[in-house]
Amino acid sequence: MSAAPATLADLLAHAAGFERGVRFLSAAEDDGLRLGYRAVHERARAVAGALQERGLAPGQRVAIVLPTGPEFYDAFFGAILAGLVPVPLYPPVRLGRLEEYHERTAAMLRACGARLVLTDRRVRRLLGEATARAGGVACELVAALEARRPRPVPLAPDDVAFVQFSSGTTVAPKPVQLTHRQVLANVAAIRGAILEAWPEGPELTHVGVSWLPLYHDMGLVGAVLVALSRPGELVLIPPELFVARPAVWLRAISRWGGTTSPAPNFAYALCAERIRDEELVGVDLSSWRIALNGAEPVTPAVLERFIERFAPYGLRPEALTPVYGLAEATLAVTFSPLRERFRHRCFARDALVREGEARPAASGQPLASLGRPLPGFDVRIAADCGEPLAEGRLGRVLVRGPSVMQGYQGLPEATAAALRGGWLDTGDTGFLHGGELYLYGRTKDLLVLRGRNHAPQDVEQALDDVPGVRAGCSAAVGLLAADGAGEELVLFVERVRDAQVPDAVLSERVRRRVLERTALAPAAVHVLEPGTLPRTSSGKIRRAETARLFQAGELQPPQRVRAAALLREMLRSRRAFSRGARAR
């Protein structure tokens, strides 16, 4: 029996000895392009040799700005095989927000110290301004790299494998450094949980299906690396295709016999709301064993709606699996039981808000259990001072385990604040009940109304099924009242496209629903055009940024991108590249 892979390079080389591989679907929903892991390995070696020819030193950072496709694999694993550290960043997908994209991407390039950006021809047309603001970082096309035989590079388990940025929900994204040992520990924990619950055999071969972006930890670690570790078949869908046509996801699971497919909560809501019966003709979801739900708050009502909507198509109710994780822990920390129906309970809202006590109640705040820690991981609830709290008490969520980061690159103060005494302060608040984790919001996002803390998602989730409101597209923030007498609740909600109801009527619907479900009276409700709320690269609403933009009078819908405007942006990008080339 061969030794377990010690680095991601070992992991890829091991997978290359098997017949399985990855399939990249296109917008046409045809068979797509399939690459066996042997071909993935060979292509990555060719890119590694080309990168070494550029004179880059081992350990230097290489940013990867690519959509879902074979070139992402080429660049990511090519950088690793060359002894470099890949840094996946998101491409410019929201064309109406390009100015914001340039600023945030430049900040991330500076933060990680990228020496090179690898991209494709289409994305490069819009990257010039971002690379120029980052100091003129060189930008090359993966397809233009001339294949070279790579020189062997010794990699150690405790070398940095890659850098992934935190989501940046409440603050600017921070560069999380993860070693090969840490990444492989998390991959092994996820793989172990899956195979323990659903062992492979003559009647079951695991197939992953994912539309998650590959620059996001849930897509990169949870889909790409976990599939590589089995090794198992993986089917990848472009994220933009899923957003435009959610049924593509379920049809792919049905067609390719997907057994494992993760997604954040909003995706389950989107499917239940938008997929039409005629798009499900011939769909059979009975192969889907594990539908992980994480990366954002899990809403019991959304999971129930998803089950009700798709159970007639073979969906197993027990497949829906709430989980908890974060970039600073590589990915996964807790899993719900994989062969049981997800658990949720109602807790007395007043007890949570006034006393910080999780008291089960017949009615109240419904919360989903996120399960128990994976083997090797621990979860603790602590007071602000760091003192551990008893089960049932609301506090800060601390975690420790073999995949917790070594720190944020170049940010010693932030690292010291997050890592204390061997524990990672996640920035989340929650409690343990029956040994299982329940979340109750982000510490920095909590609403302080009349001296009481309230989780903003409690308010936002009450709006998911309000007619005329886009599911998952609302932000509850606390703003200082005009008389200075404390914070008041202000809501920002995006209306559905072509809404047939006036904004004033929709605002009143929202106000009544919030009062009915939470007993909180909003001071104001602002109805916005679709796409107005600022988001992280993974699609989470940035509440603090929403409040800042509103107070500055800058909370505006994205600009309409016309052909002339796009051409001007491409010319601007070209000029920026020219300036950077002259500077180098």
Side-chain angles (χ1 to χ4, degrees):
M1 181 176 177
S2 60
T7 69
L8 293 188
D10 296 339
L11 185 70
L12 179 59
H14 174 75
F18 294 81
E19 295 299 322
R20 294 177 180 177
V22 57
R23 185 181 302 275
F24 304 90
L25 300 188
S26 67
E29 284 191 80
D30 56 12
D31 288 347
L33 171 67
R34 184 187 181 279
L35 291 177
Y37 288 127
R38 182 183 300 276
V40 170
H41 190 216
E42 291 172 353
R43 290 168 60 117
R45 281 175 49 80
V47 169
L51 291 174
Q52 289 174 336
E53 287 291 312
R54 297 298 188 275
L56 295 168
Q60 289 184 326
R61 275 50 174 166
V62 175
I64 299 173
V65 188
L66 285 163
T68 296
E71 287 187 338
F72 183 95
Y73 275 71
D74 299 343
F76 181 82
F77 289 107
I80 288 173
L81 295 180
L84 304 170
V85 177
V87 185
L89 302 179
Y90 62 104
V93 293
R94 302 185 78 188
L95 297 181
R97 299 285 192 192
L98 281 176
E99 187 59 32
E100 177 186 344
Y101 175 81
H102 294 323
E103 196 58 40
R104 286 173 68 83
T105 301
M108 289 189 285
L109 289 172
R110 291 191 298 268
C112 72
R115 298 297 299 271
L116 178 67
V117 174
L118 293 177
T119 188
D120 63 12
R121 191 174 305 278
R122 183 177 177 185
V123 173
R124 189 181 189 277
R125 293 172 180 169
L126 297 171
L127 280 183
E129 189 63 28
T131 59
R133 295 184 190 186
V137 181
C139 184
E140 295 202 31
L141 304 178
V142 176
L145 294 174
E146 189 174 347
R148 289 282 192 273
R149 184 185 299 275
R151 299 185 301 275
V153 176
L155 296 176
D158 292 321
D159 289 343
V160 176
F162 62 88
V163 172
Q164 64 180 6
F165 275 84
S166 61
S167 64
T169 309
T170 57
V171 295
K174 295 189 286 291
V176 178
Q177 297 187 119
L178 297 168
T179 67
H180 293 274
R181 189 189 307 276
Q182 290 161 344
V183 174
L184 290 174
N186 204 260
V187 167
I190 297 171
R191 176 177 178 269
I194 291 172
L195 294 180
E196 181 179 0
W198 293 101
E200 286 199 331
E203 298 181 359
L204 176 64
T205 298
H206 280 293
V207 176
V209 176
S210 176
W211 56 265
L212 295 167
L214 302 188
Y215 53 78
H216 187 258
D217 53 1
M218 203 172 183
L220 177 58
V221 179
V224 171
L225 298 183
V226 169
L228 197 66
S229 73
R230 287 199 292 266
E233 286 289 322
L234 178 63
V235 179
L236 294 177
I237 304 164
E240 61 275 13
L241 177 58
F242 164 74
V243 173
R245 298 168 57 193
V248 169
W249 180 30
L250 304 192
R251 295 182 66 83
I253 291 171
S254 174
R255 180 178 182 186
W256 302 104
T259 59
T260 305
S261 192
N265 195 71
F266 89 87
Y268 295 97
L270 189 68
C271 288
E273 176 184 297
R274 284 183 44 188
I275 294 178
R276 305 183 305 274
D277 286 345
E278 53 266 33
E279 297 179 281
L280 295 171
V281 174
V283 166
D284 179 2
L285 300 177
S286 60
S287 67
W288 198 359
R289 304 299 206 277
I290 304 169
L292 303 172
N293 184 338
E296 63 183 20
V298 178
T299 312
V302 165
L303 298 188
E304 295 289 4
R305 288 205 305 272
F306 190 85
I307 291 170
E308 180 181 4
R309 177 73 179 88
F310 299 109
Y313 298 91
L315 176 71
R316 303 164 182 256
E318 64 272 18
L320 276 292
T321 306
V323 296
Y324 174 65
L326 66 164
E328 287 85 345
T330 303
L331 181 59
V333 174
T334 71
F335 266 34
S336 297
L338 290 174
R339 296 192 69 135
E340 299 177 17
R341 205 178 195 282
F342 79 95
R343 287 192 277 273
H344 68 283
R345 300 195 66 140
C346 285
F347 296 90
R349 186 176 285 110
D350 282 351
L352 276 172
V353 171
R354 296 176 184 275
E355 304 167 34
E357 181 182 348
R359 187 180 303 158
S363 62
Q365 181 60 49
L367 296 174
S369 165
L370 303 180
R372 297 175 182 272
L374 291 168
F377 291 80
D378 294 299
V379 172
R380 170 188 288 177
I381 307 301
D384 289 341
C385 63
E387 190 70 22
L389 295 174
E391 179 162 305
R393 301 297 302 179
L394 185 66
R396 305 178 76 95
V397 178
L398 310 182
V399 305
R400 68 179 177 186
S403 67
V404 169
M405 68 173 184
Q406 64 175 207
Y408 299 114
Q409 179 179 323
L411 299 173
E413 292 183 1
T415 298
L419 295 172
R420 292 177 291 180
W423 290 88
L424 168 69
D425 187 336
T426 66
D428 291 313
T429 61
F431 58 88
L432 296 173
H433 180 78
E436 299 183 348
L437 177 65
Y438 291 77
L439 286 191
Y440 193 63
R442 293 284 296 171
T443 304
K444 293 183 179 179
D445 272 344
L446 288 176
L447 304 168
V448 184
L449 307 174
R450 296 186 295 278
R452 306 294 183 188
N453 290 343
H454 300 265
Q457 70 266 20
D458 292 351
V459 178
E460 296 159 358
Q461 291 168 4
L463 306 178
D464 279 348
D465 59 350
V466 172
V469 173
R470 295 183 77 198
C473 296
S474 59
V477 303
L479 297 179
L480 187 65
D483 60 5
E487 286 190 355
E488 57 188 11
L489 175 61
V490 178
L491 298 178
F492 300 88
V493 298
E494 292 183 0
R495 61 173 176 265
V496 298
R497 296 190 186 279
D498 304 319
Q500 302 299 310
V501 58
D503 287 355
V505 174
L506 187 56
S507 175
E508 186 56 30
R509 284 181 186 172
V510 167
R511 191 185 307 274
R512 286 200 306 268
R513 171 61 67 82
V514 170
L515 187 60
E516 170 192 326
R517 295 278 179 88
T518 70
L520 297 174
V525 177
H526 299 277
V527 179
L528 310 172
E529 291 186 27
T532 300
L533 291 172
R535 295 175 177 272
T536 68
S537 62
S538 57
K540 299 177 187 176
I541 301 294
R542 298 165 62 202
R543 299 183 185 96
E545 181 67 2
T546 298
R548 187 192 70 78
L549 291 173
F550 172 73
Q551 292 175 312
E554 299 172 358
L555 187 61
Q556 302 295 330
Q559 298 176 355
R560 293 185 180 277
V561 181
R562 304 185 187 280
L566 190 57
L567 179 59
R568 285 195 299 272
E569 188 64 35
M570 291 178 181
L571 292 173
R572 181 188 182 199
S573 177
R574 182 179 297 178
R575 289 194 295 269
F577 277 129
S578 298
R579 293 196 306 272
R582 289 195 297 271
R584 291 194 297 274

